[in-house]
Amino acid sequence: MARAKNRGYQQSFSPSYTIRRWRLGIYIRLSKEDLKKGKDDSNSVKNQRDLLNDFYRRNIDEFESITEYVDDGHTGTDANREDFQRLLADVMSGKINCVIVKDLSRFARNYSDAGSLIDNLFVQMGVRFISLAENVDSYKNPDSVSNIIVPITNVMNDNYCYQTSKKIRQVFDYKRRNGQYIGAFAPYGYVKHPKDKHRLIVDPDAAENVKLIFTMLIQGSSKRAIALYLNEHGVPSPSAYKVQKGLPVSTRGYDDPMWGARMIHSILTNPTYTGDLAQGRSRVKSYKVHQIEAVPREEWVEVAGTHEAIIDYETFDKVQALLQRDTRTSPKGREVHLFSGFLKCADCGRAITRCVSKNNNVYYSCSTYKNRSRTACTMHSIKHERLEAAVLFAVQHQVHLAVSYSEIVTQINSAPIKKSQSYRLDDLIAAKERELTKITRYKQSLYQDWKDGEITQQEYRDMKADYERQTSDISAVLTRLNAERAELANGVDNEHPALVAFMKYQNIEALNREILVELVDYIKVYENGNISVKFKFADELRKIAEYIEINTTEDTAVAG
């Protein structure tokens, strides 16, 4: 009978544990990818909150307090989430000693982060960890944390993020290569097309300010001076302008309501203003490390002619060349001085700097002599008036030469026959081809010399490498010479960029910054006060001169 009384009775063998009341922290996370899933709201903030609060109500006797932590729109691969960090801080301070999540992916998708926190920090701090979906409870069932499902789930969550990141990058790369704009916000000066978010259209009001910025820099204003001018004239910064217009605006980065030199530099260096999309200029280091890093120019994805240009190529290139020069101004200065960034010492090669004497006379001297050592170089001094007059004369002479070239080219091109053969180029090409043939023959005989014991293996390797280097150098020269000969065969017209650049200054009577930027590469100053001006288009003008020489010999018919 005793046995009959015990029928149906199941003795509990679950492990015993001390009843204690916990300070509960419920953690909720929703990523942007979850938001994009549409009708599937299983991971919504509301759904997670309902599930976790339901658990709390059913087990309310176990808890003495409850605190909620929510990160809405944050990826689980990044531990730098505001409420996640607040949760960890409260764990460290002892404010909470129990953490509960809907599932492990809500807590962290980074395998190493999740494992480190659950297996190490929480154990050391005596923190209870509960994940409802995986039935993990480190207090009631310690073995559940060590269960193989936990690390496997963490690895799967981590891999899911890796695969998602990889697919997103592939899609972005495809769109970039096809000239589609994929930025979240249009660059200042543009807006996204209302019917196609991957196309840019000009914003007329902002575009005028972009043009002003480029013009001011070319005319001699520093980036700081441009920013001051815009602020003083009440021009809203890019972010402030977008807020005023009701346009989408980033809260990260250039969100200052005032203009600054950094903003100006960003605009001046953005090729997008030329009508070409230049994307991929920065990137996130990895799906785990969410730091932004700059991308080298050669790795950018650039597609030409995708939208209307605000700045022409010529102006953009001028500005890039200017930005490479040392054009710093004094703290109170706004205008870049006329020759700033153009002067070089003819002996040491360093910059010639602007100086002002006690009686306010402006002169220039070698920076090595002035700032480093008076034994390393000499002063190379020249007064501003003399320098300006000399450079103006050199520019006027070059302009006169370009005008003469243009007139002669017009005569040549009106003749019934034009010559394009350059004996100089023919001789150079033939000489280089003979040199290449000789080097090739030497290289071919090396192997046999090594096998015959005339040279060692190391000598063979060294000589072979040297011949390969010479072959590469000669081949490069031949490529350049043949291209020059082909260019000569195409002829020259008086609309050649080198001629046009100089001819538009036919009536020049004074120098300004814009003329120097367009025509001059650099100016060398010698110890005796003489100068030499290295003009841009020097190679092109030399080729035009050769074309003229070829076609003005006695055996060439030239109309005139």
Side-chain angles (χ1 to χ4, degrees):
M1 293 296 294
R3 290 180 181 176
K5 289 181 180 180
N6 290 332
R7 286 175 186 171
Y9 174 77
Q10 294 182 354
Q11 185 176 357
S12 173
F13 291 98
S14 60
S16 61
Y17 53 88
T18 304
I19 299 296
R20 54 180 294 191
R21 289 172 65 80
W22 302 86
R23 297 180 294 280
L24 179 64
I26 67 173
Y27 181 70
I28 299 168
R29 182 186 65 79
L30 184 70
S31 71
K32 292 179 180 178
E33 289 303 312
D34 293 319
L35 292 170
K36 294 177 182 177
K37 291 181 180 178
K39 296 180 180 179
D40 180 14
D41 64 348
S42 61
N43 285 325
S44 68
V45 170
K46 180 181 182 301
N47 182 274
Q48 293 181 61
R49 180 180 288 123
D50 290 345
L51 286 172
L52 297 176
N53 283 332
D54 179 65
F55 177 87
Y56 169 71
R57 286 190 294 269
R58 287 188 288 105
N59 301 275
I60 195 167
D61 291 342
E62 297 182 27
F63 306 105
E64 64 181 51
S65 65
I66 181 172
T67 306
E68 182 180 274
Y69 305 84
V70 180
D71 282 312
D72 195 352
H74 290 271
T75 176
T77 59
D78 186 1
N80 190 27
R81 296 166 253 152
E82 184 177 354
D83 263 29
F84 185 73
Q85 289 299 320
R86 186 166 67 89
L87 168 74
L88 295 182
D90 289 348
V91 166
M92 298 299 291
S93 67
K95 180 178 178 180
I96 64 169
N97 57 8
C98 179
V99 175
I100 184 172
V101 293
K102 172 182 173 285
D103 59 62
L104 289 170
S105 70
R106 298 302 97 196
F107 187 62
R109 286 193 182 273
N110 188 319
Y111 168 68
S112 58
D113 285 349
S116 176
L117 290 171
I118 297 170
D119 295 337
N120 298 320
L121 179 64
F122 287 0
V123 173
Q124 294 173 14
M125 299 292 296
V127 175
R128 178 182 177 184
F129 179 76
I130 303 170
S131 179
L132 298 181
E134 293 83 9
N135 293 316
V136 171
D137 189 329
S138 64
Y139 179 69
K140 287 187 176 181
N141 185 8
D143 289 343
S144 64
V145 178
S146 303
N147 192 307
I148 190 66
I149 193 64
V150 174
I152 288 178
T153 302
N154 286 334
V155 169
M156 290 176 65
N157 288 333
D158 194 312
N159 187 65
Y160 168 80
C161 285
Y162 167 73
Q163 294 296 338
T164 300
S165 174
K166 183 179 178 181
K167 290 175 183 177
I168 291 173
R169 289 191 182 216
Q170 288 174 340
V171 171
F172 282 174
D173 286 344
Y174 172 80
K175 289 182 176 180
R176 288 190 189 106
R177 291 194 301 271
N178 282 274
Q180 298 182 56
Y181 182 74
I182 64 170
F185 308 97
Y188 180 69
Y190 291 99
V191 292
K192 292 186 178 181
H193 194 286
K195 295 182 179 179
D196 184 355
K197 66 180 181 179
H198 298 303
R199 283 179 56 201
L200 295 176
I201 56 177
V202 172
D203 178 353
D205 294 337
E208 288 304 312
N209 292 329
V210 172
K211 293 176 183 177
L212 176 63
I213 289 169
F214 276 82
T215 299
M216 288 184 69
L217 189 96
I218 289 176
Q219 291 178 344
S221 294
S222 66
K223 288 180 284 187
R224 173 181 171 276
I226 297 171
L228 287 171
Y229 176 88
L230 295 173
N231 289 329
E232 290 168 357
H233 285 75
V235 179
S237 71
S239 56
Y241 174 80
K242 290 181 179 181
V243 170
Q244 288 180 10
K245 292 286 187 177
L247 300 170
V249 59
S250 173
T251 57
R252 178 181 63 84
Y254 305 117
D255 56 355
D256 195 317
M258 303 290 284
W259 287 91
R262 186 179 176 190
M263 292 182 193
I264 301 298
H265 182 82
S266 176
I267 289 173
L268 292 171
T269 55
N270 191 347
T272 300
Y273 293 114
T274 65
D276 299 346
L277 269 186
Q279 301 187 95
R281 299 168 68 193
S282 62
R283 63 189 169 205
V284 177
K285 285 193 173 182
S286 78
Y287 74 102
K288 291 185 179 181
V289 182
H290 291 248
Q291 294 178 358
I292 304 295
E293 64 178 3
V295 176
R297 178 67 188 262
E298 59 270 17
E299 295 181 29
W300 293 0
V301 179
E302 299 186 63
V303 181
T306 58
H307 54 275
E308 183 182 347
I310 296 175
I311 304 298
D312 60 70
Y313 288 121
E314 182 182 2
T315 300
F316 186 81
D317 289 342
K318 284 183 191 177
V319 166
Q320 304 321 298
L322 267 180
L323 293 174
Q324 297 299 315
R325 298 180 185 273
D326 183 1
T327 54
R328 292 170 292 180
T329 59
S330 63
K332 293 183 179 180
R334 295 196 179 191
E335 297 299 314
V336 176
H337 297 300
L338 178 62
F339 294 109
S340 182
F342 284 95
L343 303 178
K344 289 183 179 181
C345 175
D347 292 318
C348 72
R350 296 188 66 83
I352 295 287
T353 59
R354 185 177 185 272
C355 309
V356 181
S357 66
K358 292 181 181 180
N359 54 2
N360 290 326
N361 288 324
V362 177
Y363 67 97
Y364 301 88
S365 67
C366 174
S367 59
T368 300
Y369 175 83
K370 181 183 175 185
N371 301 323
R372 297 196 172 196
S373 170
R374 300 204 169 187
T375 61
C377 199
T378 53
M379 192 171 183
H380 291 72
S381 178
I382 184 171
K383 290 182 179 180
H384 175 81
E385 292 78 6
R386 185 168 185 267
L387 174 65
E388 186 172 5
V391 174
L392 176 60
F393 178 80
V395 171
Q396 289 172 331
H397 175 73
Q398 200 72 5
V399 168
H400 176 73
L401 188 65
V403 172
S404 299
Y405 281 177
S406 178
E407 293 172 352
I408 298 172
V409 164
T410 300
Q411 294 178 11
I412 292 171
N413 291 340
S414 65
I417 301 174
K418 293 190 292 290
K419 288 186 67 176
S420 64
Q421 184 178 10
S422 168
Y423 293 110
R424 178 187 66 86
L425 287 174
D426 291 344
D427 291 344
L428 284 173
I429 291 171
K432 287 298 177 183
E433 287 176 341
R434 288 193 298 271
E435 190 176 347
L436 184 60
T437 301
K438 182 171 65 174
I439 295 297
T440 303
R441 187 169 62 249
Y442 288 162
K443 181 182 172 184
Q444 290 171 344
S445 65
L446 270 182
Y447 182 79
Q448 193 59 47
D449 290 344
W450 170 38
K451 287 301 181 183
D452 292 344
E454 295 182 16
I455 57 175
T456 66
Q457 185 180 29
Q458 187 58 49
E459 288 173 333
Y460 165 73
R461 290 176 176 172
D462 292 343
M463 294 172 72
K464 181 172 179 289
D466 184 57
Y467 285 143
E468 287 175 348
R469 178 189 57 77
Q470 292 185 54
T471 299
S472 177
D473 291 345
I474 296 170
S475 297
V477 172
L478 275 171
T479 299
R480 179 178 59 79
L481 292 174
N482 279 306
E484 189 173 336
R485 184 164 63 179
E487 184 180 346
L488 181 63
N490 292 329
V492 176
D493 61 52
N494 54 12
E495 294 300 318
H496 191 287
L499 297 177
V500 171
F502 285 96
M503 287 177 61
K504 68 180 177 181
Y505 295 109
Q506 289 185 54
N507 300 316
I508 179 175
E509 295 181 356
L511 289 180
N512 60 45
R513 185 80 180 166
E514 189 171 357
I515 292 173
L516 292 180
V517 169
E518 184 165 5
L519 303 182
V520 175
D521 192 0
Y522 59 83
I523 302 163
K524 281 187 177 181
V525 179
Y526 295 83
E527 174 57 24
N528 59 5
N530 289 338
I531 68 164
S532 63
V533 181
K534 174 67 165 62
F535 286 101
K536 293 179 178 178
F537 306 107
D539 287 341
E540 288 85 346
L541 290 172
R542 179 187 57 78
K543 294 173 186 176
I544 294 172
E546 182 171 9
Y547 175 75
I548 291 172
E549 182 182 358
I550 292 171
N551 285 277
T552 53
T553 54
E554 292 182 0
D555 61 333
T556 304
V558 178

